[in-house]
Amino acid sequence: MIVSYAGAGGLLTVAILMASDGRVTGRGKPAPPEIRLMTLDPGHFHAALVQKTMYPGVSPQVHVFAPLGADLTAHLNRISSYNARQENPTAWQLEVHASPDYFERMLESRPGNVVVISGRNRGKVERILASVWSGLNVLADKPWILRSADLPSVNAALSEADTRRLAAYDIMTERFEITNVLQRELVSDPSVFGRAVEGTPAEPGVYMESVHHLMKVVSGVPNIRPAWFFDTAEQGEGLNDIGTHLVDLVQWTLLPDQSVDHSRDVQVLAAQRWPTTITEADFRRVTGQPAFPDSLSAHVKDGALEYFCNTLVTYRLRGTHVTLNVIWDWEAPEGGGDTHFARYRGELSTIEVRQMQADAFRPELYVLPVDAARAPQVRAALERKVAGLQGTHPGISVDERGGLLHVAIPDTYRLGHEAHFAQVMSRYLDYLSGRARMPAWERPNMLAKYYVTTTGTEMSRRSEARVAARLAPR
């Protein structure tokens, strides 16, 4: 039957069928367009952001396979709000297949040919691998794995996708942020940047810091996180999750279009972790749950949750020392939001992306000559580079801000984090349609990326255990 779901943003047409055993299942009618989406257990809001816009050649009918519960309701609410908005409303039609064995039903019925996965991270790679074995293309949110022991499963999924001519891809939105795009261009220009400085563990050649916030607003409404988000066995720790983006950006920027062999090119040197403390009142606010669930009891101390979501890791990438600092704070300051800082040190200049209060928390790109004597040379090279980028990024220019060389970026390029999901989806559709071929370096670099995040996380736990052992009373 066709029903109207009264979502938070308005009405959404949802097709459902109650089976004789009381489960909700979809009818699985194929749609005419070539690309037919399925959404699997959408426990994270990124699953909905993929559908914040419509795409040519993609059926408006999307099949959702999930258990009944709050995660499914939240997903339907988000899609409903996109359909009901005043400006550029979407026109998605959802067919919901809700049952305890939703994953098996998806693999059996396969009403679509692309499965979107964004939710619980534990066991995610097994679902990706099973989907590929069933002949499905996969677009899966990060992280694919939480343990280094699962790296062979990532390799198996990518290898099987290659063999079957399928596209298995992870959602790397930060590659589309304009300051990251332009930073990559400048780091790749030897007349602006010079050669990369290898640095040391104390003074790395690359330093990146990302600060995210647990309480935030998404698509104009407070983002209620499921209680399992705070279970690191399900969600992962800071380096597992947000760190995936940072490791990806380092490889993508420092070694553009090059393959990275994690067994030869990467050495993880040191890592440490620490918790963000969440009171029970704040936990109720961010989850809507009345109290800490039993699954988190081991991490509740003195009435507050110790959420191990912060990680500092240092590693070498082809000789260059890289330090990543992943931080989850509770809530952003007034007028602020998540922040990103990225410094690449070259022989001629340091290229930085800063997202600070001085810039109204908007990411800006700066070039810092290594000394005053080289400043005129670096500025001239920067101006030549920016002039050469006018074909792809018209309107960018060079000026000075606070005594620093600054790449001025027009507001038209400031799309925001949520819009980057549509850009990732469009790139993925190019791969599916054959309009573009997925680069050969994506596969080894994904393995290298998850090698760093999982090995670093495991090293940080061992480091913490050693510190605790030294501090224990004797």
Side-chain angles (χ1 to χ4, degrees):
M1 63 179 173
I2 305 296
V3 302
S4 292
Y5 171 77
L11 294 179
L12 173 67
T13 300
V14 181
I16 60 174
L17 176 65
M18 293 299 298
S20 59
D21 57 4
R23 291 174 295 187
V24 182
T25 181
R27 297 171 299 174
K29 292 181 179 178
E34 181 181 0
I35 305 301
R36 304 184 305 277
L37 300 179
M38 300 181 296
T39 303
L40 180 65
D41 192 12
H44 196 284
F45 66 91
H46 287 177
L49 290 179
V50 170
Q51 291 180 242
K52 200 173 180 182
T53 187
M54 307 294 292
Y55 307 94
V58 176
S59 171
Q61 183 185 48
V62 178
H63 296 259
V64 182
F65 290 84
L68 288 171
D71 287 350
L72 176 59
T73 300
H75 180 73
L76 296 180
N77 280 338
R78 293 185 182 108
I79 303 300
S80 172
S81 70
Y82 302 155
N83 280 357
R85 69 189 178 208
Q86 294 296 313
E87 185 176 352
N88 296 322
T90 53
W92 298 110
Q93 303 164 19
L94 302 188
E95 190 159 334
V96 177
H97 310 245
S99 66
D101 59 346
Y102 60 91
F103 184 51
E104 292 76 12
R105 285 175 176 258
M106 185 197 78
L107 296 181
E108 180 182 358
S109 61
R110 286 182 295 174
N113 51 19
V114 175
V115 57
V116 176
I117 303 176
S118 180
R120 298 171 186 260
N121 297 322
R122 181 166 57 182
K124 182 184 286 183
V125 72
E126 285 82 3
R127 293 182 173 189
I128 293 170
L129 186 53
S131 297
V132 172
W133 277 338
S134 296
L136 297 171
N137 298 284
V138 177
L139 180 64
D141 197 19
K142 53 76 189 161
W144 282 24
I145 60 172
L146 303 178
R147 310 178 307 158
S148 59
D150 289 328
L151 274 169
S153 295
V154 175
N155 189 45
L158 298 175
S159 177
E160 188 69 16
D162 287 346
T163 300
R164 293 172 174 262
R165 296 185 178 181
L166 299 169
Y169 200 56
D170 62 349
I171 302 175
M172 291 289 99
T173 52
E174 293 306 305
R175 295 183 190 177
F176 294 87
E177 186 353 86
I178 185 61
T179 50
N180 296 334
V181 171
L182 295 177
Q183 185 175 47
R184 184 182 192 232
E185 291 282 355
L186 298 185
V187 169
S188 299
D189 190 324
S191 65
V192 175
F193 184 66
R195 291 187 302 177
V197 172
E198 290 188 358
T200 65
E203 297 184 4
V206 178
Y207 175 78
M208 299 179 72
E209 180 177 296
S210 176
V211 181
H212 278 62
H213 298 90
L214 296 168
M215 189 68 200
K216 63 170 58 175
V217 172
V218 176
S219 298
V221 297
N223 179 42
I224 299 300
R225 298 184 186 275
W228 61 257
F229 178 88
F230 298 92
D231 183 350
T232 55
E234 287 282 357
Q235 175 66 15
E237 299 189 19
L239 186 60
N240 285 135
D241 186 16
I242 300 302
T244 309
H245 281 305
L246 304 191
V247 178
D248 182 76
L249 284 176
V250 172
Q251 297 172 172
W252 183 75
T253 302
L254 207 58
L255 303 171
D257 304 326
Q258 298 179 46
S259 295
V260 176
D261 181 345
H262 70 275
S263 65
R264 182 184 61 213
D265 298 331
V266 180
Q267 299 85 38
V268 181
L269 303 176
Q272 63 186 78
R273 67 173 191 163
W274 64 98
T276 292
T277 302
I278 304 171
T279 67
E280 192 166 65
D282 281 339
F283 187 81
R284 286 195 298 269
R285 181 182 169 204
V286 76
T287 65
Q289 300 296 312
F292 295 123
D294 292 341
S295 59
L296 298 179
S297 59
H299 301 289
V300 175
K301 296 183 179 180
D302 299 323
L305 174 67
E306 288 189 340
Y307 180 37
F308 279 93
C309 52
N310 310 291
T311 316
L312 180 72
V313 64
T314 297
Y315 65 100
R316 277 197 302 265
L317 175 62
R318 290 196 190 165
T320 298
H321 288 83
V322 179
T323 295
L324 308 179
N325 195 7
V326 182
I327 300 168
W328 278 92
D329 285 339
W330 169 245
E331 192 169 17
E334 184 70 26
D338 295 345
T339 62
H340 174 74
F341 177 82
R343 172 190 292 139
Y344 290 79
R345 295 171 57 210
E347 291 179 327
L348 295 178
S349 68
T350 296
I351 314 295
E352 293 184 354
V353 170
R354 302 180 180 183
Q355 190 174 359
M356 304 299 182
Q357 186 173 5
D359 294 318
F361 295 101
R362 188 165 81 163
E364 297 289 349
L365 182 59
Y366 293 92
V367 178
L368 294 72
V370 294
D371 55 51
R374 299 189 188 185
Q377 170 193 346
V378 170
R379 174 154 192 163
L382 176 60
E383 289 175 341
R384 286 195 301 271
K385 179 65 175 180
V386 168
L389 291 171
Q390 295 303 311
T392 53
H393 298 91
I396 63 172
S397 60
V398 179
D399 60 19
E400 288 193 17
R401 180 175 292 187
L404 304 176
L405 293 175
H406 169 250
V407 179
I409 302 170
D411 288 344
T412 52
Y413 297 113
R414 306 286 189 169
L415 301 180
H417 176 63
E418 295 186 17
H420 296 323
F421 285 85
Q423 292 175 298
V424 172
M425 184 62 168
S426 295
R427 178 69 54 84
Y428 180 66
L429 293 175
D430 286 342
Y431 297 148
L432 290 179
S433 66
R435 291 188 295 268
R437 178 174 294 183
M438 190 180 298
W441 51 262
E442 286 281 14
R443 177 177 167 184
N445 289 19
M446 186 182 292
L447 292 171
K449 173 173 58 186
Y450 286 121
Y451 172 77
V452 173
T453 61
T454 56
T455 302
T457 298
E458 290 159 3
M459 186 177 291
S460 74
R461 292 171 182 163
R462 293 194 297 270
S463 175
E464 181 190 38
R466 288 194 295 269
V467 171
R470 289 200 301 268
L471 297 178
R474 299 183 184 279

